[in-house]
Amino acid sequence: MPTPKRATPQIAFKPADFIAKNPVFRVDEFQRLHRAAGNEDASAASAIAYHVAQGGLVNLRRGLYAHDKKANPFLVASRLTRDAVIAYDGALAFHGYKYAGPRISFMTKERCTPFDFGGKHLVPVRVPTDLAKLEDWGGFLRWEELSGLPVTITSLERTVVDLLDRIDLAPPVAHLHELANLPRNDFEAMISYAERLGHPVTAARLGVLLEQNVSIPHQTLWRLDRLAPRSPSSWDRTMKGKGVWHSRWKLVVPKTLG
């Protein structure tokens, strides 16, 4: 006698409840739960259209909805792709540093175009190739809550190293130097992440910023020595010999760091 098939349990799903709890959401999030409750995809579109018509939702861009156009830009950036991680200058701003500009960068492996919202320029940045192969993209991530929703963001220590890796997204050198040497920084975490990233020039930049910090043990900095370039390099490509040669790190650095 064949064993009777068990009915697949359905998930209770009420569109109005979902919308009330999600001030910003992707339509695929809504559709997934709607489908899991045994509903047709067409009715998901109808439900969203109804709430838009009632004024309870606005369509920010294709596939992205919010209660209104006053949504938190960080929350919007975190929903522009399914895998978005607030990073670089975006993470710097999220952590509360005043010298972060109007851009909010976020890491993603998905295709996405920049989006202007709430006076901010939301910009996708591809995950570094070597880190994209890792499940946690190199780690040192944090999970914060905004308006009741989870947002993934790089830790301050990782953010500093990422900014040294992408100077084009970073504040001026003086601010980077200050950031790298904040007393509350976990210097071990910064160097461990630099090792995971494995970019020689980035490791050398970090070494230049940290080497005068007396609170960091010499043996800890030696780990960056092993990562540093083996041939002469520049802090960035625009210097064209205008900087100061730093022999330990084989790096031409800005005169303010010389």
Side-chain angles (χ1 to χ4, degrees), residues 29 72-95 104-108 123 125 127 135-156 158-159 162:
E29 297 176 84
N72 187 308
F74 291 103
L75 192 53
V76 173
S78 75
R79 283 351 190 229
L80 285 174
T81 63
R82 291 168 294 182
D83 60 355
V85 174
I86 305 298
Y88 301 99
D89 48 7
L92 194 60
F94 192 100
H95 286 297
I104 296 177
S105 298
F106 60 94
M107 288 192 300
T108 181
V123 181
V125 179
V127 184
E135 185 176 354
D136 64 354
W137 293 359
F140 301 97
L141 305 178
R142 289 174 47 180
W143 290 265
E144 301 284 350
E145 188 176 283
L146 280 180
S147 303
L149 296 179
V151 173
T152 309
I153 178 174
T154 56
S155 70
L156 181 59
R158 172 171 177 165
T159 300
D162 280 336

Side-chain angles (χ1 to χ4, degrees), residues 29-143:
E29 297 176 84
F30 184 92
Q31 289 173 331
R32 183 176 65 253
L33 293 174
H34 194 74
R35 193 180 301 121
N39 299 307
E40 298 291 333
D41 285 348
S43 63
S46 297
I48 290 176
Y50 170 79
H51 286 277
V52 170
Q54 293 297 309
L57 280 180
V58 293
N59 184 201
L60 299 183
R61 71 182 305 182
R62 184 176 181 180
L64 186 68
Y65 291 85
H67 289 179
D68 54 53
K69 291 188 177 181
K70 296 179 181 178
N72 187 308
F74 291 103
L75 192 53
V76 173
S78 75
R79 283 351 190 229
L80 285 174
T81 63
R82 291 168 294 182
D83 60 355
V85 174
I86 305 298
Y88 301 99
D89 48 7
L92 194 60
F94 192 100
H95 286 297
Y97 290 93
K98 62 185 181 215
Y99 30 76
R103 182 175 52 206
I104 296 177
S105 298
F106 60 94
M107 288 192 300
T108 181
K109 291 171 69 175
E110 298 181 5
R111 281 179 166 271
C112 183
T113 55
F115 180 50
D116 289 330
F117 179 82
K120 299 291 185 180
H121 190 46
L122 314 183
V123 181
V125 179
R126 298 290 289 180
V127 184
T129 304
D130 292 338
L131 298 185
K133 302 171 186 176
L134 304 178
E135 185 176 354
D136 64 354
W137 293 359
F140 301 97
L141 305 178
R142 289 174 47 180
W143 290 265

